[in-house]
Amino acid sequence: MAKYVFVTGGVTSSLGKGIIAASLAKLLQARGLTVTIQKFDPYINVDPGTLNPYEHGECFVTDDGAETDLDLGHYERFLNIPTSQANNVTTGRIYQTVINKERQGAYLGKTVQVVPHITDEIKRRMLMLGQDGKFDIIITELGGTVGDIESLPFIEAVRQLQWELPEEDTVVVHLTLIPYLKAAKELKTKPTQHSVRMLSQEGVHPDIIVCRTEESLSPEIRKKVALFCNVKPEAVIEAADAPTIYEVPLAMMREKLDLICLRKMNITQYKEPELSKWKEFLDKLKYPKSKVTIGLIGKYIELQDAYKSILEAFVHAGAMNECKVQVVNVHSEFITEENVSEKLGNLDGLLVAPGFGLRGIEGKILAVKYAREKGLPFFGICLGMQMAVIEFARNVLGIKDAHSTEMDPHTVNPVIDLMEAQKKITAKGGTMRLGAYPCQITEGSLAHTIYENSLISERHRHRWEFNNDYLPRYEAAGMIASGKNPESGLVEIVELNNHPFFVGVQYHPELKSTVEAPQPVFVHFIKAAKAFTEKKEAIKNPLLQSEMI
Ligand code: GLN
């Protein structure tokens, strides 16, 4: 039987519940237990697929095509195992299920209420991943902050489960903030006391308090938190700010978060944590031997969470290359013909980001042109690949009015077009081409060198596609389709023959990059950026150049 850990948050949002949950999961996994994490979000959207990235950051897509919260990305990056639709549940999805059942008459004429019907559905989903014996431990992260009206049914469900399940089958970890007041030169425990009191009023008593703090917690502060929050002093865990999120599992190990959980769950069969790969990665991350600067060309750059998985994939690929990757955000809306070389001139590589709609696309096209002409390593993802296709049509094939029907529905040269199957769809949620699809790679291509494989699988989230009617003209001029869907023939990868590194992918490779398995296109892109900067240095420094010869 599985055991259940619940992670709640108090005082404020953005304390990093996802990272704490993922770190605890990592430690338990390293001790030989099978663990998964799920996220329950209190908003009414059925899933985050319809949300603008400015709302909650990027939408993370799973293999089975679920559009989910970005915290699932952290879970996968830490645990190196895939999540699925079942790992992300929203209030909207819970209500949708209950209302559908009510319409089918499943409640036999009863009044359908928040308690017990909504809470029963929440509990059913909380327990679901623990039913088939696949996992020893299910960690459930509750979105929102204790005290929010919309979180109440979730907290009530946890209360009922704490009561229904054997004592040793549940653990509640409460993450809070211990602010440091500069004027008083003191850490303050009152907000934590209040948030724990609020949680207790709702009937849930935390077993462990994890304290986010900028300063180290003294034994007195720990004792005070323990006393007023009614937990043992060793169950007060310090979570100080870390230089990288990937340090947090080790910090939690030093605080014995995993051991305290194991003790509460009465689990005695576990080993010393096996984290050698993780530590090796951290060493490479902390002591890079070189540095590259990559331009991220996007339109949501004001909010870093909008490109979360891309940024993390750069961290993994950088470590793999023992190279620090500095990402410079370039707002595509403000790139013009006049300023393009000034904006992109100092970069070692260019990533044109995914996106939707017209805003900022001409800037993306100018950036692609610059990279293509200057031999600057280029990596286009989804919309970024589509922009590379349009740029090539306009400036190499001479099809000046080439466009995507997403931006110009009446273009006479739709080099990017909607698939037939997509043309009839008007509903928004869950209707894109979503999730994992296979891709056949042409032998001898750059893509084949990158993947070292002829058949790969990557995740998708888009509606528009390369229009195969134009493919012969592209290939004749040097842009080849080196990856295609084996059944439909849809183009998944384009690359340029006469360029050091120019790759556009219709899928989202960033979604599968993890600490232990960095994504190969990212790894090779950084390698190419390193080569580019070395060449630049050699040209600047003739002495080096003669050494190279
Ligand atoms: N807007 C484009 C499409 O729907 C690209 C989507 C994306 O970049 N994820 O095809």
Side-chain angles (χ1 to χ4, degrees):
M1 281 304 286
K3 298 190 185 255
Y4 297 88
V5 177
F6 298 97
V7 181
T8 60
V11 183
T12 169
S13 58
S14 305
L15 288 182
K17 272 195 305 267
I19 301 296
I20 294 294
S23 299
L24 173 60
K26 183 76 220 166
L27 293 176
L28 295 170
Q29 184 192 53
R31 287 187 179 278
L33 296 149
T34 51
V35 192
T36 190
I37 322 177
Q38 53 185 354
K39 170 115 194 242
F40 280 56
D41 274 313
Y43 52 73
I44 295 174
N45 304 65
V46 172
D47 60 42
T50 52
L51 291 171
N52 184 313
Y54 289 121
E55 292 287 313
H56 293 277
E58 88 174 2
C59 173
F60 188 81
V61 181
T62 57
D63 277 334
D64 64 350
E67 298 180 283
T68 72
D69 184 80
L70 59 74
D71 271 335
L72 271 77
H74 290 309
Y75 308 163
E76 291 200 7
R77 287 187 281 272
F78 275 54
L79 292 183
N80 201 29
I81 56 167
T83 53
S84 70
Q85 177 72 73
N87 295 71
N88 192 195
V89 177
T90 66
T91 292
R93 194 171 291 278
I94 301 278
Y95 271 79
Q96 193 183 46
T97 311
V98 171
I99 292 170
N100 285 346
K101 274 171 76 178
E102 186 272 336
R103 292 289 85 182
Q104 288 155 8
Y107 296 109
L108 305 173
K110 286 255 182 283
T111 308
V112 182
Q113 293 178 298
V114 174
V115 182
H117 301 101
I118 294 296
T119 46
D120 278 354
E121 178 59 19
I122 295 175
K123 284 193 293 180
R124 187 182 73 81
R125 289 185 183 257
M126 280 177 169
L127 298 179
M128 204 156 79
L129 287 171
Q131 301 303 298
D132 56 8
K134 236 170 92 186
F135 298 106
D136 301 319
I137 297 168
I138 316 291
I139 299 182
T140 302
E141 177 194 347
L142 296 189
T145 308
V146 168
D148 294 348
I149 293 175
E150 53 187 21
S151 315
L152 278 173
F154 294 98
I155 302 285
E156 169 61 13
V158 173
R159 183 194 74 75
Q160 293 184 16
L161 286 177
Q162 256 190 329
W163 182 82
E164 285 166 17
L165 296 174
E167 170 76 22
E168 68 274 16
D169 281 5
T170 63
V171 179
V172 175
V173 178
H174 186 58
L175 177 64
T176 90
L177 177 70
I178 308 275
Y180 179 73
L181 287 197
K182 265 200 201 124
K185 294 199 179 61
E186 253 186 300
L187 285 168
K188 291 292 183 190
T189 64
K190 197 74 82 190
T192 294
Q193 293 180 39
H194 281 301
S195 85
V196 171
R197 194 165 302 154
M198 205 149 12
L199 193 57
S200 303
Q201 270 165 11
E202 289 164 16
V204 173
H205 187 71
D207 301 294
I208 298 171
I209 314 278
V210 178
C211 306
R212 279 302 308 278
T213 167
E214 287 173 17
E215 299 285 321
S216 189
L217 300 182
S218 65
E220 292 74 42
I221 293 276
R222 285 185 196 249
K223 223 166 131 190
K224 197 168 169 189
V225 172
L227 179 66
F228 289 107
C229 300
N230 209 14
V231 298
K232 296 275 177 248
E234 62 270 21
V236 176
I237 304 284
E238 172 185 307
D241 291 351
T244 141
I245 54 170
Y246 299 107
E247 293 264 8
V248 180
L250 301 183
M252 291 302 101
M253 188 166 73
R254 285 192 294 274
E255 289 284 306
K256 302 192 171 57
L257 174 61
D258 50 340
L259 290 176
I260 297 165
C261 280
L262 289 167
R263 198 178 316 143
K264 165 76 187 14
M265 293 185 285
N266 216 358
I267 295 177
T268 49
Q269 299 276 333
Y270 55 82
K271 56 176 189 178
E272 279 304 301
E274 163 38 31
L275 287 165
S276 50
K277 265 190 151 179
W278 191 272
K279 288 182 183 161
E280 209 178 290
F281 157 80
L282 267 181
D283 271 349
K284 286 188 180 162
L285 187 65
K286 280 202 277 193
Y287 308 109
K289 297 194 175 121
S290 54
K291 185 186 155 196
V292 293
T293 308
I294 303 294
L296 172 62
I297 320 292
K299 66 170 173 178
Y300 307 115
I301 56 173
E302 301 86 348
L303 183 75
Q304 283 301 288
D305 275 359
Y307 300 117
K308 193 79 200 158
S309 293
I310 291 178
L311 297 176
E312 297 306 327
F314 276 136
V315 174
H316 310 152
M320 190 78 172
N321 281 288
E322 298 184 71
C323 172
K324 180 172 171 48
V325 180
Q326 188 192 352
V327 178
V328 174
N329 295 308
V330 186
H331 205 307
S332 56
E333 254 187 301
F334 307 124
I335 299 178
T336 62
E337 235 159 290
E338 291 70 43
N339 68 20
V340 64
S341 44
E342 178 203 327
K343 280 192 186 280
L344 311 182
N346 291 324
L347 302 172
D348 305 313
L350 206 69
L351 184 139
V352 178
F356 294 83
L358 192 61
R359 187 166 67 94
I361 63 145
E362 291 304 327
K364 286 186 173 172
I365 293 174
L366 283 170
V368 177
K369 179 168 185 274
Y370 181 87
R372 182 177 57 75
E373 290 178 346
K374 302 279 185 220
L376 181 65
F378 168 82
F379 184 7
I381 298 183
C382 209
L383 185 71
M385 174 262 202
Q386 298 174 355
M387 293 305 111
V389 168
I390 294 173
E391 192 279 326
F392 197 80
R394 289 184 186 176
N395 299 322
V396 180
L397 303 182
I399 314 175
K400 292 284 169 228
D401 54 358
H403 222 316
S404 161
T405 49
E406 178 181 6
M407 327 300 169
D408 178 2
H410 307 294
T411 177
V412 283
N413 279 301
V415 290
I416 301 292
D417 201 2
L418 266 189
M419 276 185 302
E420 266 324 298
Q422 280 287 342
K423 288 187 180 160
K424 298 180 271 310
I425 295 173
T426 51
K428 286 286 176 278
T431 57
M432 283 188 246
R433 185 173 176 223
L434 287 168
Y437 283 91
C439 169
Q440 186 79 44
I441 296 187
T442 313
E443 271 179 46
S445 63
L446 173 60
H448 200 269
T449 310
I450 291 173
Y451 280 99
E452 295 174 1
N453 209 335
S454 299
L455 190 65
I456 57 152
S457 169
E458 293 280 8
R459 299 180 192 169
H460 292 246
R461 183 173 189 253
H462 59 103
R463 288 184 206 284
W464 275 266
E465 305 283 350
F466 184 101
N467 182 345
N468 271 327
D469 292 349
Y470 291 85
L471 186 57
R473 287 164 76 181
Y474 276 86
E475 298 210 307
M479 180 177 269
I480 62 156
S482 52
K484 283 186 185 172
N485 181 286
E487 288 116 51
S488 60
L490 288 171
V491 172
E492 311 285 33
I493 310 175
V494 295
E495 59 183 75
L496 282 184
N497 278 336
N498 55 354
H499 192 283
F501 190 100
F502 191 104
V503 177
V505 294
Q506 185 57 81
Y507 48 80
H508 288 266
E510 72 276 19
L511 301 176
K512 279 181 58 171
S513 191
T514 73
V515 166
E516 281 163 36
Q519 208 286 334
V521 189
F522 279 87
V523 173
H524 282 258
F525 175 57
I526 296 303
K527 201 168 146 197
K530 258 171 76 176
F532 183 85
T533 177
E534 276 159 20
K535 209 167 141 197
K536 228 172 33 181
E537 285 305 313
I539 291 167
K540 264 199 260 163
N541 184 346
L543 210 65
L544 257 177
Q545 201 177 12
S546 62
E547 271 170 21
M548 274 172 66
I549 294 163

